[in-house]
Amino acid sequence: MSRLSEKERVGFKKMFISMTTDDLKSLSDTVTNKMIFVENLTEATEAILSFSKNAEELLRRKKVQRDLIFRYLATEGVAMPPSSEKHQLVKRTLQLWSSGEADETELQQPAASDSMEVKPVVDFDPLVLGQQFCQWFFQLLNSQNPSLGQKPQEWGPQHFWPDVKLRLLSRTTSEQKEEIPGAELVSLRLLALTSSERLLFNPNLEPRGLKAVASSHGLVLVSVAGTIHRDVACLGVFEQVFGLIRSPQDENSWKIRFINLSIRGQDALGGAEAAAPALSYSSSELKQLCS
């Protein structure tokens, strides 16, 4: 019988949410040798988890497809290059479950306002803050995508300064520019990208894809590049610059002061490789934005 840990069981349940009923029942037949008849998704899931020998064996099953694991890791805030092969995704998932980064309480999604309270420390490292912020922000934003089948985390204007400004440049078949002021409108426009347009943002948190600098008067700039997906299709790449300032009214948590978001569709890439895109901003250019 199964030797899955509780963390592994919870992880698989999250992963299986994205599977079709037919695929899940087929996986149940394979795992149980068709000895267990299941009538619905819940029974199929329990049969699979009960009769699987271990997590690695189940992850390597043909029906547990590469893209399924990739999307699961993205929702857990683990950024992997879109070009990653299945065995690499399996290895990273097993590391996640054994490290304590993921646990059974994550089924009850934590309030996003709690997870962004990065307390100020003396001589803090802007890059560490940038990594923490990007993991938090993109997990929160991606959770609004209904195609992931998960409970959306708490999104809203509370994460932005009231006078925040969003500059959005989109290059697909044509070029479109938008400039949106105010926390309410910025919140709604970003929400539409994932909730209505069903986009999934996969940031590249490796050194080539993430930079962060801090000014002497409290502004931290975080620049990140990544890929944009809809379901299993890669639509293009994005580059995003955040301006962050602490809010003394909210226990010194960080709030977003401005966002510059540039999106390039596959047509605009001109054949360039979309996997694990690198930033076009240099650290010196970011510092100029601070001034």
Side-chain angles (χ1 to χ4, degrees):
M1 296 295 284
S2 173
R3 291 189 291 272
L4 300 181
S5 70
E6 188 59 32
K7 292 175 185 177
E8 291 166 346
R9 290 177 63 88
V10 169
F12 277 119
K13 286 181 180 179
K14 290 182 181 182
M15 203 178 293
F16 291 164
I17 287 173
S18 300
M19 291 181 70
T20 66
T21 303
D22 287 345
D23 280 348
L24 202 58
K25 286 184 175 180
S26 175
L27 179 58
S28 175
D29 286 343
T30 301
V31 171
T32 66
N33 266 337
K34 296 187 177 179
M35 295 175 62
I36 304 293
F37 175 74
V38 296
E39 293 186 333
N40 53 48
L41 293 176
T42 301
E43 291 181 1
T45 299
E46 285 305 317
I48 292 165
L49 298 181
S50 296
F51 284 84
S52 293
K53 293 178 182 177
N54 55 61
E56 183 173 1
E57 179 201 60
L58 182 50
L59 284 169
R60 292 187 183 280
R61 295 278 188 185
K62 189 177 294 185
K63 286 290 183 183
V64 183
Q65 297 177 352
R66 174 206 170 277
D67 294 310
L68 191 71
I69 305 173
F70 180 85
R71 287 200 298 269
Y72 166 74
L73 288 172
T75 63
E76 292 296 303
V78 179
M80 293 290 288
S83 58
S84 299
E85 296 181 7
K86 182 178 176 180
H87 71 89
Q88 295 171 312
L89 299 174
V90 168
K91 181 179 179 181
R92 184 63 184 92
T93 303
L94 293 171
Q95 289 173 345
L96 176 71
W97 290 342
S98 64
S99 67
E101 295 174 71
D103 63 37
E104 56 270 24
T105 61
E106 290 186 10
L107 278 179
Q108 289 74 48
Q109 294 286 355
S113 55
D114 294 339
S115 55
M116 189 42 200
E117 291 179 3
V118 182
K119 296 297 189 293
V121 293
V122 178
D123 296 328
F124 77 99
D125 185 344
L127 187 59
V128 173
L129 172 64
Q131 290 171 329
Q132 291 176 343
F133 170 80
C134 286
Q135 287 184 337
W136 168 83
F137 179 84
F138 290 106
Q139 184 175 1
L140 173 64
L141 185 60
N142 285 333
S143 78
Q144 314 304 315
N145 187 326
S147 65
L148 295 180
Q150 65 172 239
K151 181 181 177 182
Q153 296 181 31
E154 186 186 339
W155 178 264
Q158 69 272 20
H159 303 303
F160 305 88
W161 285 90
D163 57 349
V164 64
K165 185 173 290 186
L166 167 65
R167 295 179 180 90
L168 177 58
L169 173 62
S170 177
R171 296 188 184 96
T172 50
T173 51
S174 60
E175 183 172 297
Q176 292 181 311
K177 290 183 180 180
E178 299 177 55
E179 191 162 301
I180 300 162
E184 189 69 41
L185 291 177
V186 169
S187 170
L188 290 173
R189 182 65 185 98
L190 291 172
L191 177 63
L193 294 175
T194 50
S195 178
S196 302
E197 300 177 42
R198 303 170 79 93
L199 300 179
L200 181 69
F201 289 81
N202 181 39
N204 176 16
L205 301 185
E206 299 299 320
R208 292 175 66 249
L210 177 71
K211 287 187 173 69
V213 297
S215 75
S216 57
H217 36 271
L219 176 67
V220 175
L221 289 175
V222 179
S223 183
V224 63
T227 50
I228 298 179
H229 306 257
R230 182 179 291 121
D231 297 321
V232 297
C234 180
L235 303 183
V237 301
F238 73 91
E239 189 163 356
Q240 198 158 355
V241 180
F242 299 91
L244 307 177
I245 300 178
R246 290 182 185 128
S247 173
Q249 289 83 18
D250 293 291
E251 299 182 346
N252 275 319
S253 61
W254 293 89
K255 289 194 174 186
I256 301 168
R257 180 66 178 78
F258 70 82
I259 297 176
N260 296 343
L261 173 58
S262 174
I263 294 174
R264 285 183 295 159
Q266 290 282 17
D267 293 341
L269 289 176
E273 179 60 51
L279 284 170
S280 62
Y281 278 97
S282 66
S283 295
S284 59
E285 288 172 328
L286 276 180
K287 288 176 180 176
Q288 289 176 7
L289 288 175
C290 274
S291 58

